[in-house]
């Protein structure tokens, strides 16, 4: 596709419910990243995929957060038993390659999550 | 671990005036440096990046940044801003050999007529 897409663009949920956020990276990009943007915390790294595996998931804040990537393409970030502090904008990015080289990360528009 | 400091949370400026957005980083190893811009309700767009070579990097929309290794800085500049430059600007660093970005907390650039 033309760029990274994310769905839904907005999600309102009740505390305690589970939510799934989807990311479609740029076609052919092998690396995929999830970040969270919240007031007071700025932009925080959550997890990085290279292909279908996640060599770095050090940013996931708790075991309520998980993510998977299938077919080297679409990724889903799942938050179980949501809490109000999970309210944030969740941003997905992809790059042609991972591995810490000179590649640029391209960001999607984000999913705005509000937990009531 | 690396960290990024953007000293100014907000920078108000008049249209056609010059602007500098400051960014300092700390890292014990080689890094790559980036500036991203975020317009309201949009994702992040890359403005420019420093990988190696010339310390003066030119980006889109007339922005440029200078890498200063001794001062561990990567300040963003534009000689004459437009109303349309109103947005939030994020400085980010990535350690050589690592894939993830560490962001500063952002600087909101407010351009008024």
């Amino acid at each position: 596709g033309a760029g990274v897409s994310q769905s839904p663009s907005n999600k309102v949920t009740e505390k305690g419910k589970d939510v799934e956020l989807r990311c479609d990276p740029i076609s052919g990009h092998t690396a995929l990243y999830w970040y969270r943007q919240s007031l007071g915390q700025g932009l925080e790294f959550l997890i990085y995929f290279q292909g279908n595996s996640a060599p770095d998931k050090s940013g996931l804040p708790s075991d309520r957060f998980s993510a998977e990537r299938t077919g080297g393409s679409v990724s889903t970030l799942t938050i179980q038993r949501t809490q109000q502090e999970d309210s944030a904008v969740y941003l997905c990015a992809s790059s042609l390659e991972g591995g810490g080289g000179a590649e640029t990360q391209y960001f999607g528009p984000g999913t705005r999550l509000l937990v009531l | 671990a690396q960290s990024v400091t953007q000293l100014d949370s907000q920078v108000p400026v008049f249209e056609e005036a010059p602007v500098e957005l400051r960014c300092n980083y700390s890292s014990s190893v080689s890094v790559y440096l980036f500036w991203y811009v975020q317009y309201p309700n949009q994702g992040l767009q890359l403005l420019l990046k420093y990988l190696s070579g010339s310390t003066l990097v030119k980006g889109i929309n007339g922005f440029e940044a200078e890498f200063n290794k001794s001062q561990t800085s990567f300040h963003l500049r534009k000689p004459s801003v437009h109303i349309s430059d109103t947005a939030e600007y994020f400085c980010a660093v990535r350690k050589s050999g690592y894939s993830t970005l560490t962001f500063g907390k952002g600087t909101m650039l407010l351009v008024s007529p």
Side-chain angles (χ1 to χ4, degrees):
Chain A
V4 178
S5 60
Q6 293 185 245
S7 60
S9 54
N10 291 280
K11 177 72 177 177
V12 181
T13 190
E14 293 178 348
K15 178 181 172 181
K17 301 279 190 184
D18 297 352
V19 295
E20 284 189 352
L21 312 179
R22 176 187 169 106
C23 172
D24 281 274
I26 294 172
S27 178
H29 280 196
T30 64
L32 185 147
Y33 314 80
W34 283 98
Y35 294 86
R36 179 169 70 173
Q37 185 176 23
S38 54
L39 287 174
Q41 297 297 322
L43 272 154
E44 305 169 283
F45 163 76
L46 297 177
I47 187 169
Y48 153 57
F49 285 93
Q50 182 61 47
N52 291 335
S53 62
D56 188 350
K57 52 179 80 170
S58 61
L60 294 178
S62 76
D63 58 8
R64 295 187 296 105
F65 287 73
S66 63
E68 65 174 11
R69 189 179 185 195
T70 54
S73 182
V74 172
S75 175
T76 302
L77 177 69
T78 301
I79 309 173
Q80 295 178 310
R81 305 180 303 281
T82 52
Q83 303 294 313
Q84 288 180 330
E85 61 262 29
D86 299 334
S87 296
V89 178
Y90 290 82
L91 292 167
C92 176
S94 70
S95 64
L96 193 57
E97 298 175 351
E103 73 282 356
T104 296
Q105 294 183 21
Y106 297 89
F107 283 79
T111 293
R112 191 174 300 271
L113 175 66
L114 178 61
V115 182
L116 300 176
Chain B
Q2 66 270 27
S3 66
V4 181
T5 302
Q6 292 182 247
L7 290 169
D8 306 304
S9 59
Q10 212 171 79
V11 173
V13 64
F14 289 110
E15 194 175 19
E16 297 183 6
V19 70
E20 178 180 84
L21 306 183
R22 296 179 292 170
C23 173
N24 288 86
Y25 69 93
S26 65
S27 176
S28 57
V29 299
S30 296
V31 295
Y32 302 121
L33 295 156
F34 304 80
W35 276 99
Y36 282 86
V37 59
Q38 186 176 35
Y39 298 102
N41 299 314
Q42 294 188 27
L44 276 71
Q45 179 182 0
L46 181 70
L47 269 180
L48 48 79
K49 60 184 177 183
Y50 171 78
L51 306 177
S52 65
S54 173
T55 58
L56 183 63
V57 180
K58 294 190 182 295
I60 62 171
N61 301 341
F63 283 94
E64 63 181 33
E66 185 154 20
F67 170 59
N68 188 318
K69 188 175 182 179
S70 63
Q71 296 186 4
T72 59
S73 68
F74 191 53
H75 301 331
L76 181 70
R77 302 186 184 101
K78 186 169 181 178
S80 175
V81 295
H82 301 291
I83 298 285
S84 58
D85 292 324
T86 294
E88 190 151 24
Y89 292 78
F90 292 92
C91 181
V93 63
R94 188 172 77 229
K95 279 198 300 185
S96 178
Y98 289 78
S99 290
T100 61
L101 289 168
T102 299
F103 286 90
K105 292 199 180 294
T107 297
M108 186 68 203
L109 177 63
L110 298 167
V111 183
S112 54

